[in-house]
């Protein structure tokens, strides 16, 4: 740790947020995180620096007293800062434009065998039976709809360009050779900015409709051994097209598998022929479980799933061998007005608590705010707050076009442009929001961890992404506070002057 001058005055950072928790307080830096619990004595010691106080550098570096250990931790977290800030200024550190890519989203197929009511895909390609055998499911069966009337009012997308990509017959499935070429290009782009670890995410539509291309990518890139970086894999799938063979291959490459499924009683995820998709999904999950794959169930808490979203999803996950449920909370701002922010938080929280009691964690876009806040300056390491599309992600379509995310409507360019893609004004517009939120967020207690509403929804409503949809802010702040208030001592770093825990300190 580097301190300043021999005798320096320190003061409590203006960015400190304090939340009382019984006989302790939770404290964190609202831009950098470092969530910590303090007992009454530690809290008093911190408060003593409300006005600048001198600390001798020598005692700071050499004393093993509990008090000096505490001070070192408070300074490390920037809860205490020099009263004349220089290099500890968090805002200054975030002013340079970081162009690092950490997530490569490969859109394997713009088609699906399900007809979910709320999916980005909206109207899908030609109907396909979920009973189709895997051997018959390849790109030749991902057939374009004959004629599409572009009606942006009836789509979650905000641009004609995006809509056209969605239904262009030449943009239905990624050829295996293209998947390899595009991934090589994307890895080169990431490496050009010093990135040494990426996540390749197989996405769709239903990506498993294009198993051949997924297999080609896994076989070619493995864990990145030949490409001088670490590659992790994930997939978002409806879970209906797994076989034993595929489950084994996923286990080999450790593909984190997010299976979308709302609730055992939900009618919102029918097959294209209208039949209940549950038996098909359960069958797929059994294959994955057999080979100990890492499975998360993806559920949605939206206007259309409100009545079915309950503890049964936890029971289902447990039975399926999934220890995590990713919950997508409705990105439509009217959801918060119609159902009430408090009601939404309470409904979600009661399922979170039930999950905790049964060994299943509920996560999601909203939960990442809390996760990021737990560490110190996590955003500068992982490259994004809770929305990777803000500069950290390339979403590559079958025809090589690049958007920031499957949910986004702004074309960034072509993957063949290589590093040049990072010079495009559209990419820069996204990357500028990686750490710096719109002006509206200045001073918000979760500014350093919250990227606001999903940018796809912002584009749809406002036609731009450098804006805030304020109707969701109370939900993000409220659910984060619930997580903080549920903390027990030593769940996170706990700095008690009566009992300094050596294990818990960073
Ligand atoms: S979007 Fe809202 S909740 Fe999130 S940081 Fe900005 S003001 Fe805060
Ligand atoms: S744009 Fe939306 S779906 Fe995509 S990474 Fe951001 S929050 Fe997630």
């Amino acid at each position: 740790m580097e301190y300043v001058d021999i005798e320096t005055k320190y003061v409590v950072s203006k960015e400190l947020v304090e939340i009382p928790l019984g006989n302790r307080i939770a404290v964190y830096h609202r831009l950098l995180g470092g969530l910590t619990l303090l007992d009454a004595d530690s809290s008093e010691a911190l408060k003593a620096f409300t006005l600048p106080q001198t600390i001798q550098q020598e005692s700071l570096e050499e004393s093993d007293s509990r008090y000096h250990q505490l001070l070192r931790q408070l300074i490390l977290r920037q809860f205490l800062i020099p009263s004349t800030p220089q290099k500890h200024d968090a805002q200054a550190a975030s002013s340079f434009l970081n162009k690092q890519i950490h997530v490569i989203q490969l859109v394997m197929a713009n088609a699906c065998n399900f007809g979910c009511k709320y999916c980005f895909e909206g109207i899908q390609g030609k109907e396909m039976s979920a009973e189709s055998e895997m051997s018959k499911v390849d790109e030749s069966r991902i057939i374009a709809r004959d004629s599409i009337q572009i009606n942006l009012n009836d789509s979650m997308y905000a641009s004609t360009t995006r809509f056209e990509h969605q239904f262009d017959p030449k943009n239905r499935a990624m050829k295996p050779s293209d998947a390899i070429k595009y991934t090589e290009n994307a890895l080169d782009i990431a490496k050009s900015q010093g990135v040494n670890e990426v996540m390749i995410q197989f996405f769709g539509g239903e990506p498993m409709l294009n198993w051949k291309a997924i297999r080609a990518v896994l076989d070619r890139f493995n864990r990145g051994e030949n490409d001088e970086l670490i590659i992790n894999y994930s997939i978002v799938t409806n879970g209906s097209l797994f076989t034993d063979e595929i489950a084994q291959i996923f286990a080999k490459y450790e593909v984190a598998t997010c299976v979308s499924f709302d609730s055992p009683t939900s009618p919102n995820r029918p097959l294209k022929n209208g039949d209940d998709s549950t038996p098909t999904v359960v069958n797929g999950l059994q294959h994955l479980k057999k080979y100990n794959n890492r499975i998360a169930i993806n559920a949605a808490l939206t206007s259309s799933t409100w009545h079915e979203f309950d503890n049964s999803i936890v029971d289902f996950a447990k039975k399926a061998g999934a220890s995590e449920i990713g919950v997508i909370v409705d990105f439509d701002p009217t959801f918060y007005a119609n159902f009430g922010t408090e009601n939404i938080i309470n409904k979600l929280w009661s399922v979170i608590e039930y999950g905790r009691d049964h060994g299943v964690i509920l996560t999601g876009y909203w939960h990442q705010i809390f996760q990021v806040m737990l560490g110190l300056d996590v955003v500068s390491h992982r490259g994004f707050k809770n929305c990777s599309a803000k500069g950290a992600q390339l979403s590559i379509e079958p025809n090589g076009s690049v958007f920031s995310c499957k949910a986004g409507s702004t074309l960034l360019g072509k993957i063949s442009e290589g590093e040049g893609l990072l010079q495009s004004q559209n990419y820069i517009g996204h990357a500028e929001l990686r750490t710096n939120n719109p002006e509206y967020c200045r001073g918000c207690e979760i500014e350093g961890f919250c990227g606001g509403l999903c940018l796809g929804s912002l584009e749809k409503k406002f036609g731009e992404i450098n804006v805030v949809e304020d109707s969701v802010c109370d939900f993000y702040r409220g659910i984060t506070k619930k997580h903080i208030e549920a903390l027990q001592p030593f769940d996170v770093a706990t700095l008690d002057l009566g009992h300094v825990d050596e294990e818990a300190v960073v």
Side-chain angles (χ1 to χ4, degrees):
M1 194 185 326
E2 201 182 316
Y3 303 107
V4 283
D5 298 336
I6 295 176
E7 243 186 24
T8 303
K9 286 195 168 185
Y10 285 86
V11 69
V12 175
S13 166
K14 287 193 176 64
E15 314 297 356
L16 200 71
V17 179
E18 301 184 23
I19 298 177
L21 289 185
N23 58 2
R24 286 189 168 78
I25 60 164
V27 283
Y28 65 90
H29 191 293
R30 67 171 199 92
L31 298 173
L32 298 174
L35 185 62
T36 301
L37 301 186
L38 302 180
D39 71 353
D41 290 347
S42 299
S43 166
E44 278 306 310
L46 177 62
K47 257 194 218 134
F49 288 86
T50 306
L51 291 176
Q53 302 290 329
T54 301
I55 302 178
Q56 301 285 342
Q57 191 189 7
E58 199 181 337
S59 352
L60 202 53
E61 285 180 353
E62 291 172 14
S63 168
D64 274 337
S65 73
R66 284 182 173 170
Y67 176 69
H68 284 100
Q69 287 183 46
L70 173 71
L71 290 186
R72 285 200 285 271
Q73 293 302 324
L74 297 177
I75 292 169
L76 177 74
R77 289 166 171 74
Q78 298 192 37
F79 299 169
L80 284 181
I81 54 169
S83 55
T84 47
Q86 296 151 13
K87 53 190 157 187
H88 289 82
D89 186 341
Q91 296 279 17
S94 66
S95 59
F96 94 107
L97 190 62
N98 174 353
K99 294 183 173 179
Q100 292 191 326
I101 300 298
H102 296 269
V103 184
I104 299 165
Q105 190 177 70
L106 296 175
V107 177
M108 308 313 282
N110 278 315
C112 186
N113 55 336
F114 278 22
C116 305
K117 292 181 183 174
Y118 47 75
C119 180
F120 317 123
E121 296 300 307
I123 312 159
Q124 296 290 352
K126 200 167 178 173
E127 289 189 2
M128 178 179 287
S129 158
E131 283 78 39
S132 303
E133 290 167 35
M134 220 27 238
S135 59
K136 294 183 199 157
V137 179
D138 59 29
E139 63 266 34
S140 67
R141 301 209 50 198
I142 304 170
I143 304 164
R145 207 175 165 88
D146 293 338
S147 64
I148 295 293
Q149 298 298 315
I150 294 180
N151 179 4
L152 288 175
N153 294 326
D154 192 29
S155 159
M156 90 156 263
Y157 286 123
S159 73
T160 310
T161 309
R162 171 49 106 175
F163 204 104
E164 285 168 350
H165 274 79
Q166 209 53 21
F167 299 108
D168 178 355
K170 297 197 183 80
N171 192 37
R172 303 303 289 168
M174 195 177 279
K175 289 186 197 140
S177 55
D178 284 344
I180 289 173
K181 189 173 62 186
Y182 298 162
T183 306
E184 282 171 347
N185 292 340
L187 293 179
D188 285 345
I189 293 172
K191 285 192 286 188
S192 74
Q193 302 299 311
V195 171
N196 55 20
E197 183 164 359
V198 294
M199 168 70 74
I200 293 181
Q201 185 184 62
F202 301 114
F203 213 83
E206 172 46 50
M208 290 300 297
L209 288 172
N210 194 1
W211 167 240
K212 269 194 207 166
I214 294 176
R215 177 79 202 256
V217 170
L218 293 173
D219 287 346
R220 156 66 182 86
F221 295 97
N222 205 332
R223 302 308 299 267
E225 295 84 346
N226 298 325
D227 294 273
E228 294 148 14
L229 79 180
I230 298 166
I231 298 178
N232 303 302
Y233 294 101
S234 66
I235 185 168
V236 179
T237 169
N238 63 32
S240 65
L241 297 169
F242 286 101
T243 61
D244 254 20
E245 187 208 343
I246 293 170
Q248 254 176 303
I249 294 169
F250 269 31
K252 177 180 166 196
Y253 292 104
E254 298 180 273
V255 182
T257 307
C258 306
V259 177
S260 303
F261 186 87
D262 292 332
S263 146
T265 54
S266 171
N268 289 299
R269 300 182 62 77
L271 299 171
K272 279 274 165 65
N273 64 12
D275 286 354
D276 179 12
S277 64
T278 307
T280 322
V281 176
V282 169
N283 183 44
L285 286 166
Q286 281 166 351
H287 289 299
L288 290 168
K289 188 179 170 188
K290 186 168 160 192
Y291 295 98
N292 295 320
N293 279 284
R294 193 175 139 211
I295 312 166
I297 302 291
N298 262 6
L301 173 55
T302 64
S303 302
S304 48
T305 66
W306 179 260
H307 296 293
E308 291 87 34
F309 185 86
D310 58 25
N311 294 343
S312 62
I313 187 72
V314 173
D315 298 332
F316 177 83
K318 209 165 161 59
K319 217 164 144 193
S323 55
E324 182 176 334
I325 301 173
V327 182
I328 297 161
V329 180
D330 209 327
F331 288 140
D332 181 348
T334 60
F335 174 65
Y336 302 87
N338 293 343
F339 289 86
T341 300
E342 270 310 299
N343 293 335
I344 297 167
I345 292 172
N346 290 337
K347 189 175 184 76
L348 181 56
W349 189 253
S350 82
V351 182
I352 290 171
E353 286 194 312
Y354 183 79
R356 279 186 178 163
D357 292 343
H358 292 79
V360 177
I361 181 172
L362 269 71
T363 61
Y365 182 68
W366 46 274
H367 182 255
Q368 288 187 43
I369 296 170
F370 174 68
Q371 279 178 314
V372 171
M373 157 194 292
L374 287 175
L376 187 64
D377 199 14
V378 168
V379 176
S380 62
H381 306 299
R382 82 169 197 161
F384 57 97
K385 294 177 179 173
N386 51 350
C387 175
S388 45
K390 290 180 176 165
Q393 179 169 286
L394 301 177
S395 177
I396 309 170
E397 290 286 318
N399 65 5
S401 292
V402 180
F403 292 80
S404 64
C405 181
K406 190 64 182 167
S409 290
T410 307
L411 183 66
L412 305 184
K414 285 279 181 187
I415 192 64
S416 54
E417 291 170 51
E419 275 179 68
L421 195 64
L422 306 182
Q423 310 308 326
S424 84
Q425 272 317 305
N426 283 345
Y427 171 77
I428 290 170
H430 285 69
E432 280 173 345
L433 293 167
R434 180 192 303 261
T435 47
N436 295 321
N437 281 19
E439 198 58 39
Y440 179 89
C441 301
R442 297 288 173 267
C444 174
E445 67 210 42
I446 54 172
E447 184 183 343
F449 333 105
C450 169
L453 190 66
C454 170
L455 62 76
S457 307
L458 294 177
E459 285 174 311
K460 179 73 189 166
K461 181 164 175 186
F462 301 101
E464 59 169 321
I465 59 172
N466 192 2
V467 282
V468 169
E469 170 54 58
D470 62 359
S471 62
V472 298
C473 294
D474 285 342
F475 169 70
Y476 292 146
R477 284 189 286 251
I479 197 70
T480 305
K481 201 164 175 204
K482 278 270 193 200
H483 280 87
I484 295 171
E485 287 171 345
L487 285 171
Q488 297 297 315
F490 309 106
D491 281 352
V492 296
T494 302
L495 305 177
D496 290 357
L497 261 185
H499 173 77
V500 176
D501 180 57
E502 297 290 348
E503 295 297 313
V505 295
V506 174

